[in-house]
Amino acid sequence: MYDKGPVPGRNDACWCGSGKKYKKCHSAFDERLERLWEEGWEVLPRTLYKTPADIEGIKRSAAINVGVLDYVGEHIAAGMTTNQIDQMIYDYTVEHGGTPADLNYEGYPKSVCTSINDVVCHGIPCDADVLHEGDIINVDCSTILDGYFSDSSRMFCIGEVSAERQRLVDVTRASVEAGLAAVKPWLPLSVMAEAVQRTVEDAGFSVVREYGGHGIGKEFHEDPFVGFTTEAPDVDTIMVPGMVFTIEPMVNAGAPDIKISKGDGWCVRTKDGSDSAQCEVQLVVTEDGYELLSW
């Protein structure tokens, strides 16, 4: 087998843990993956495809993640600090039985990323960052519950924002919707990436290359890297039922170039100082399309 994993006998129990005989469960699935691999496509190891039990676990985690973003949306306002947002995220997540996945991840010091205006991603909450009328902010949080990870982010407009900023936010959301519409089983990620890229660039904006989506479920970041241009790595990876990943393009109003803060090593800004927006959803590929898990 292409992933060097076990191949049960036809009447043996399937490797997925369903209890069914292999011939009645994943035999045809494995044969299709093997053919695709032989044709030169990238396919994930079978250990990364999620079972129905895994999906239910992810959904329970996602219920917290979606709930906390709803909660932020009800309370976010001008005059609030990003540290206050961080505290809201932490308190809500813990009170509902979860753990913020961001907290202490590879040394990250907070429970959420708060990215304002020209910040592309990984803005670290602090008391000095105060929201003002007209700002746009991405709030990106992730939750662990019973070993399952969920992840999503939303853009929030603080009061009345400029027409330019509103359009950036709207196009970013539209690019995610275009990507979702392109998700079909047994097609490559490039189909989704092209839909996102076309939506963004037709509007006169640009897609950040260095950061993208990712597989997720039993770990915070799993293979593959999910880019949103047709030149991105891993775009030859086939979308397969049971594959869980995020669509989260980072869209710049100006050029796609970025710079990383030398002070904290985390905060990413647009190199030209233009605004940036991001929208993130988590999905599972199904037999006929996809199912949203977190948004």
Side-chain angles (χ1 to χ4, degrees):
M1 181 58 64
Y2 75 97
D3 63 0
K4 298 181 172 56
V7 181
R10 289 179 54 78
N11 291 311
D12 293 339
C14 187
W15 54 262
C16 73
S18 66
K20 298 178 182 177
K21 291 182 178 181
Y22 181 55
K23 65 183 179 183
K24 296 288 187 180
C25 196
H26 274 88
S27 177
F29 177 92
D30 287 355
E31 289 173 4
R32 190 166 189 177
L33 290 177
E34 183 78 4
R35 286 197 302 273
L36 287 164
W37 178 74
E38 289 173 350
E39 291 169 7
W41 296 100
E42 295 292 329
V43 288
L44 297 177
R46 289 170 293 169
T47 54
L48 289 180
Y49 300 119
K50 306 304 184 287
T51 67
D54 292 330
I55 299 304
E56 289 307 309
I58 294 170
K59 286 180 178 179
R60 290 191 293 272
S61 175
I64 299 174
N65 215 66
V66 172
V68 74
L69 287 172
D70 288 345
Y71 185 74
V72 169
E74 293 166 3
H75 294 86
I76 196 168
M80 179 177 289
T81 70
T82 52
N83 242 356
Q84 288 175 300
I85 297 173
D86 180 75
Q87 193 64 53
M88 278 197 294
I89 298 284
Y90 179 83
D91 290 345
Y92 184 102
T93 302
V94 171
E95 287 168 5
H96 288 77
T99 300
D102 287 356
L103 188 59
N104 298 319
Y105 176 76
E106 295 186 352
Y108 187 78
K110 295 290 184 174
S111 298
V112 64
C113 296
T114 49
S115 303
I116 304 171
N117 298 338
D118 69 327
V119 177
V120 175
C121 61
H122 301 163
I124 301 177
C126 63
D127 288 329
D129 285 341
V130 180
L131 296 179
H132 298 95
E133 181 90 5
D135 284 340
I136 56 174
I137 179 173
N138 179 264
V139 178
D140 185 350
C141 64
S142 308
T143 301
I144 312 169
L145 180 69
D146 299 329
Y148 289 105
F149 289 75
S150 54
D151 190 10
S152 51
S153 80
R154 296 183 197 171
M155 291 298 299
F156 296 101
C157 296
I158 307 304
E160 293 293 325
V161 303
S162 68
E164 293 82 2
R165 283 181 170 171
Q166 186 65 61
R167 181 168 173 267
L168 176 63
V169 171
D170 291 345
V171 168
T172 301
R173 179 64 197 178
S175 74
V176 172
E177 292 171 349
L180 284 170
V183 173
K184 299 290 189 295
W186 308 109
L187 293 180
L189 279 172
S190 59
V191 175
M192 179 279 300
E194 182 181 12
V196 172
Q197 184 176 15
R198 186 187 321 114
T199 302
V200 171
E201 294 182 352
D202 283 355
F205 299 141
S206 62
V207 181
V208 170
R209 268 60 170 173
E210 292 87 345
Y211 294 89
H214 51 91
I216 181 173
K218 295 181 180 178
E219 300 290 342
F220 194 174
H221 293 93
E222 300 174 347
D223 286 337
F225 173 82
V226 181
F228 303 106
T229 69
T230 53
E231 305 85 24
D234 295 343
V235 288
D236 285 341
T237 300
I238 299 294
M239 297 181 285
V240 174
M243 177 179 171
V244 177
F245 65 96
T246 64
I247 296 178
E248 49 176 312
M250 299 166 200
V251 179
N252 292 352
D257 308 283
I258 60 171
K259 58 183 179 181
I260 301 174
S261 169
K262 293 180 180 178
D264 59 43
W266 282 100
C267 183
V268 180
R269 296 180 182 272
T270 58
K271 192 170 184 179
D272 60 10
S274 62
D275 289 328
S276 187
Q278 180 191 13
C279 178
E280 177 183 11
V281 298
Q282 179 181 3
L283 63 102
V284 58
V285 180
T286 62
E287 295 291 344
D288 56 2
Y290 69 90
E291 181 182 1
L292 273 181
L293 302 176
S294 189
W295 57 87

